[in-house]
Amino acid sequence: MPPRLRDVVALPDLGLTVLAGASALDHAVRWVAVSELEDPGPFLEGGELVLTTGMRLPTKAAACSAYVARLVAADVAALGLGVGLSHAEVPAA
């Protein structure tokens, strides 16, 4: 049985913070995918926790919404953005 997103977030060594989608923490995480693509959707099968440094993440609100919409269309479980390399903090958009 795959772990739920809630289980992954609860791992203290990961230091994760839920910023959005707290109502979806019971989704199963089938796989973890690392991607810096602007549209990783064609390479996803659904249920992934997509991790990115945000190197190519747009900062404008409309472009961020389009990026997230592509991930939703690919049925990902969640998006994890690593801060400190490309972004000092999660972009507000």
Side-chain angles (χ1 to χ4, degrees):
M1 173 181 250
R4 296 173 302 157
L5 188 54
R6 174 179 317 285
D7 302 324
V8 176
V9 170
L11 295 170
D13 291 344
L14 297 181
L16 300 175
T17 303
V18 176
L19 298 179
S23 63
L25 291 177
D26 286 323
H27 279 114
V29 177
R30 188 187 61 76
W31 194 258
V32 175
V34 177
S35 177
E36 298 301 336
L37 297 174
E38 291 178 21
D39 184 9
F43 306 98
L44 303 172
E45 296 180 8
E48 293 89 353
L49 167 55
V50 176
L51 302 177
T52 183
T53 65
M55 183 178 0
R56 299 181 67 175
L57 184 68
T59 55
K60 294 188 178 186
C64 281
S65 292
Y67 175 77
V68 171
R70 289 190 294 273
L71 295 179
V72 169
D75 195 30
V76 303
L79 170 64
L81 176 68
V83 293
L85 182 60
S86 297
H87 300 278
E89 58 188 30
V90 176

